[in-house]
Amino acid sequence: MKIESTDQDIRTLLSSGYYRIPRFQRPYSWTKEEIQDFWDDIVRDNPGDYFIGSMVVFKDANQRYGVVDGQQRLTTIAIFLVVLRNTFKKKGFKDLAAGIHGLIERKNIENKPEFILSTETSYPFLQDHILKWGEPDVPVIPKQEEENLKDALSQLDDLVGTAVQSYESDLTLTNEKKQDNIKKKLIEIRDAILNLKVIFVKLDNEDDAYLIFETLNPRGKDLSLTDLVKNHITKHLKAKSASVDQTKIKWERILETIEGSSYDIDTDTFIHHFWLSRYDYIPAKSLFKKLKLRIGKDRAKDFLNDLISDAAVYRSIHDIQFGKWSKQERRIADSLYALQLFRVQQQTPCVLSLVRAYKEKKFKMKHLEDAIDAIEKFHFLFTAVTSQRSSGGISGMYASLGRRLFEATDINESLPVIKEVKTKLKERIPSIREVNALFPEIIYTDRLTKQRGLVKYMLTAFMKQTSTGVTADFDAMTIEHLVSQDRIGSECFTEAVVGQIGNLILVSSDMNEKLKNKSFKEKKQILKNAGYSLSPEIDSATDWTVDTIKKRTEKMAIEAYNKIWKI
């Protein structure tokens, strides 16, 4: 690998080459804070010759380079020059505007205009909607990168505008003097940008660039797994057409699917779970090293296509609305929702394989229901109630079961794996003593709301047990305290007691309003008159005390363990 290094200023760099941001690069992503810092460093503080780090490129052709490192800075500088060009023109300095435009676009060896900077990630938006001097020709529906570019343009325009505003509003200056001061200020900003210093590092070819990209640490932030996998895939799947880059389109589809969700999922975690569900069990930090060895040019296309199909499945198991689960699949969707409520992750590779295999018709809906139901019940007791931390053994178990489901070809090979899921989970269920001890710690009051979702989930399950055949909109129901919260602090009614599951029931929002802070006897009568099905301990009680709350909590813990959440 041949590497050449020289120090250059931005004026020389832009005057001596054409630069392309290749497809393996990250999208433009500088934030308002980063742009403000950039402005403060080079304009407000005006240090003279200011060093902005290295810029790594590979030779594309004579005087043409692909950018490996430095694309965020170079793109921001190009946008900065666009703002100055437009401002010079707006203020009447047409020659100075044209001079800057020569560093944005100039004629090539064939005497045709060409932009100094082009990009494959946001083409044609950067070139046609930002760099171009004049109205754009190609309509574009902006995506996140395009929105970031627009925001950068707007912010820099505001900063430059503010820098010259003081001269325009100075009533002590003549119009001629105002123009002269504005011109000097804009030239000062221009020269501050063009005098920026970089270490210009040139590589011989694009293959070397892919290798360098994997080891760089741009802007002080490690490359993510997503960045590295994208780089690896695009290295092996070169674009066959100058106008249509299928690899880029497919990768964007993956990002849109995963990162378009309002749920807490990200592409790095998806790729790790995807790998665990199909290949071998490996920590996320070691995954890329293994992936590089296993996914070569001959497998890159299939690997990318598998990522696309699994991205939709992955989102559907987290984002229930995206999954468009049918009425017949409601039980599956409810269990998937519960797993999100429990904030548990280690089961995901197995669940991903289960749902994938179901969609591939390797087994029937009832088999998926059975497996997901078992996973939900296990994690209610193991994670939500007893808050036990999963060892690597459980994570490894889930990944192993997921891989075996992936490798299964039909129902005969799939069903033994599903049966084993239940068997292995039963072996790891917490004891009734642990559940009894920790059930009272699940609390909800107006002040302690962290477990509200879990409490409502539990009350819904208990109510379904006693309301067989009755249709109710559980989502619309609210949590009611039998001993009202205004009793907290009196007669031993601590918040830990009043907030216990044994003191809570589900009622409609209208009923909640009727009950308010009434006594237990009044609430009980109102509920009975309205046709609510009350549990025996509530129905038979004449008063609701600390002791009855604790006894009902204990009874509910036993019922939860032995009946409702029993695998």
Side-chain angles (χ1 to χ4, degrees):
M1 182 187 296
K2 184 179 178 182
I3 302 176
E4 299 176 23
S5 175
T6 58
D7 60 307
Q8 290 188 15
D9 58 32
I10 292 297
R11 187 192 310 265
T12 304
L13 187 146
L14 295 176
S15 300
S16 59
Y18 295 91
Y19 302 91
R20 172 177 64 86
I21 298 172
R23 58 214 279 266
F24 60 76
Q25 281 285 14
R26 292 169 167 172
Y28 182 76
S29 60
W30 265 25
T31 63
K32 288 183 177 181
E33 289 75 18
E34 287 166 308
I35 291 172
Q36 183 67 54
D37 289 344
F38 190 67
W39 169 271
D40 291 344
D41 288 343
I42 66 175
V43 177
R44 190 190 68 179
D45 298 338
N46 196 14
D49 293 345
Y50 184 73
F51 176 62
I52 59 169
S54 63
M55 180 172 168
V56 183
V57 301
F58 61 88
K59 294 177 183 177
D60 219 1
N62 189 31
Q63 289 191 310
R64 294 181 183 278
Y65 305 97
V67 180
V68 180
D69 185 35
Q71 60 124 337
Q72 303 283 341
R73 286 163 288 161
L74 186 59
T75 304
T76 303
I77 288 168
I79 296 171
F80 212 146
L81 293 176
V82 165
V83 169
L84 286 172
R85 176 197 68 193
N86 295 346
T87 307
F88 271 127
K89 182 184 177 183
K90 185 165 60 176
K91 301 302 179 185
F93 308 114
K94 293 183 179 179
D95 288 344
L96 291 171
I100 286 190
H101 188 68
L103 295 174
I104 298 170
E105 182 182 31
R106 67 169 180 269
K107 291 185 177 180
N108 58 28
I109 193 68
E110 296 176 356
N111 202 37
K112 294 181 179 179
E114 184 176 347
F115 291 112
I116 304 303
L117 178 66
S118 62
T119 178
E120 296 179 5
T121 60
S122 65
Y123 176 84
F125 186 84
L126 177 67
Q127 294 92 314
D128 195 46
H129 288 249
I130 292 184
L131 302 182
K132 184 180 178 181
W133 198 354
E135 294 299 314
D137 292 323
V138 183
V140 173
I141 299 174
K143 296 181 181 178
Q144 187 57 58
E145 182 177 14
E146 286 79 7
E147 292 291 351
N148 292 341
L149 292 166
K150 283 170 61 179
D151 290 345
L153 179 68
S154 176
Q155 184 178 355
L156 288 169
D157 190 54
D158 289 343
L159 289 167
V160 171
T162 301
V164 300
Q165 179 63 35
S166 59
Y167 302 115
E168 293 179 326
S169 58
D170 191 341
L171 299 177
T172 66
L173 299 176
T174 64
N175 287 336
E176 184 178 349
K177 188 62 177 175
K178 286 180 182 179
Q179 281 293 91
D180 187 51
N181 285 346
I182 290 170
K183 178 181 177 181
K184 286 179 180 178
K185 184 61 179 178
L186 291 173
I187 289 174
E188 178 188 314
I189 296 172
R190 178 200 67 186
D191 290 346
I193 298 168
L194 298 181
N195 290 335
L196 293 171
K197 300 291 186 182
V198 299
I199 299 296
F200 191 65
V201 181
K202 289 191 289 188
L203 307 170
D204 259 0
N205 55 64
E206 188 172 1
D207 288 339
D208 290 344
Y210 283 104
L211 295 175
I212 291 293
F213 182 81
E214 292 175 10
T215 62
L216 287 174
N217 185 23
R219 290 170 37 225
K221 185 165 70 175
D222 289 338
L223 289 167
S224 67
L225 177 61
T226 302
D227 294 324
L228 293 168
V229 174
K230 176 188 176 185
N231 176 58
H232 183 72
I233 295 298
T234 51
K235 174 176 69 175
H236 290 305
L237 300 178
K238 303 292 176 64
K240 295 180 180 179
S241 166
S243 57
V244 179
D245 187 342
Q246 288 294 338
T247 302
K248 173 178 175 287
I249 293 170
K250 289 179 179 180
W251 193 263
E252 286 178 350
R253 194 185 307 166
I254 294 169
L255 296 181
E256 287 171 2
T257 300
I258 299 298
E259 298 180 3
S261 174
S262 60
Y263 285 74
D264 188 20
I265 56 176
D266 63 85
T267 315
D268 275 13
T269 308
F270 158 62
I271 292 173
H272 185 218
H273 287 159
F274 165 88
W275 185 273
L276 296 181
S277 75
R278 289 171 175 260
Y279 299 95
D280 42 1
Y281 184 71
I282 190 169
K285 64 182 180 181
S286 306
L287 173 54
F288 182 65
K289 186 175 181 181
K290 178 65 69 72
L291 186 149
K292 277 176 60 180
L293 296 173
R294 193 154 182 175
I295 309 300
K297 187 174 183 179
D298 59 329
R299 301 184 65 183
K301 184 176 180 180
D302 288 340
F303 186 81
L304 179 58
N305 289 336
D306 289 340
L307 279 172
I308 291 173
S309 61
D310 268 18
V313 177
Y314 190 81
R315 180 167 170 182
S316 76
I317 66 178
H318 294 86
D319 186 343
I320 308 305
Q321 295 301 317
F322 180 84
K324 296 180 180 178
W325 298 94
S326 68
K327 289 182 179 179
Q328 292 75 23
E329 297 168 329
R330 178 63 189 265
R331 279 186 57 198
I332 298 166
D334 286 347
S335 291
L336 293 172
Y337 175 78
L339 291 170
Q340 300 310 303
L341 187 65
F342 303 157
R343 299 178 184 273
V344 61
Q345 287 261 351
Q346 60 263 44
Q347 83 292 346
T348 306
C350 184
V351 173
L352 176 60
S353 272
L354 280 164
V355 177
R356 181 204 300 131
Y358 166 65
K359 291 183 179 295
E360 292 173 352
K361 302 188 185 306
K362 290 183 180 178
F363 47 75
K364 297 179 180 179
M365 184 176 69
K366 64 181 181 180
H367 302 128
L368 179 61
E369 280 181 354
D370 207 25
I372 300 292
D373 178 70
I375 293 171
E376 174 196 357
K377 288 175 176 177
F378 172 78
H379 282 289
F380 170 72
L381 297 172
F382 186 88
T383 307
V385 176
T386 60
S387 301
Q388 297 192 36
R389 292 188 176 183
S390 171
S391 65
I394 288 182
S395 297
M397 173 200 77
Y398 274 129
S400 174
L401 292 167
R403 288 193 302 277
R404 286 171 55 198
L405 277 167
F406 167 64
E407 292 164 358
T409 58
D410 56 29
I411 192 169
N412 293 324
E413 293 182 2
S414 299
L415 289 187
V417 182
I418 291 174
K419 184 178 179 181
E420 191 172 342
V421 169
K422 296 176 66 176
T423 300
K424 289 185 176 295
L425 291 177
K426 281 182 180 179
E427 294 169 356
R428 291 167 168 81
I429 287 287
S431 68
I432 182 64
R433 186 174 59 185
E434 291 173 295
V435 173
N436 275 336
L438 294 168
F439 224 69
E441 295 186 13
I442 301 171
I443 294 169
Y444 168 70
T445 65
D446 288 344
R447 194 179 70 86
L448 302 176
T449 60
K450 185 177 180 181
Q451 293 179 300
R452 181 184 182 281
L454 176 61
V455 166
K456 188 170 181 182
Y457 160 82
M458 294 167 65
L459 291 174
T460 299
F462 281 106
M463 193 169 183
K464 286 179 178 178
Q465 288 290 310
T466 58
S467 304
T468 307
V470 177
T471 302
D473 184 1
F474 293 104
D475 292 338
M477 301 187 87
T478 60
I479 301 170
E480 172 66 21
H481 294 74
L482 292 170
V483 167
S484 300
Q485 294 180 76
D486 64 353
R487 299 280 300 278
I488 293 173
S490 65
E491 303 176 40
C492 298
F493 284 114
T494 64
E495 191 164 23
V497 170
V498 174
Q500 265 184 47
I501 196 79
N503 188 46
L504 308 177
I505 60 171
L506 281 184
V507 298
S508 69
S509 55
D510 289 343
M511 179 58 68
N512 189 284
E513 190 65 25
K514 290 177 183 177
L515 298 176
K516 277 195 172 179
N517 294 327
K518 289 182 170 58
S519 68
F520 169 72
K521 289 182 180 179
E522 291 173 307
K523 288 183 179 182
K524 177 178 160 183
Q525 192 59 50
I526 293 170
L527 290 166
K528 292 184 76 171
N529 290 343
Y532 275 77
S533 177
L534 301 177
S535 62
E537 58 271 22
I538 297 174
D539 193 33
S540 61
T542 56
D543 195 10
W544 205 244
T545 65
V546 171
D547 188 51
T548 53
I549 290 173
K550 290 181 177 180
K551 284 182 177 179
R552 181 171 182 246
T553 300
E554 184 178 353
K555 183 176 183 298
M556 292 173 80
I558 294 169
E559 185 179 1
Y561 191 86
N562 291 330
K563 186 176 181 182
I564 301 177
W565 285 279
K566 183 178 181 180
I567 299 176

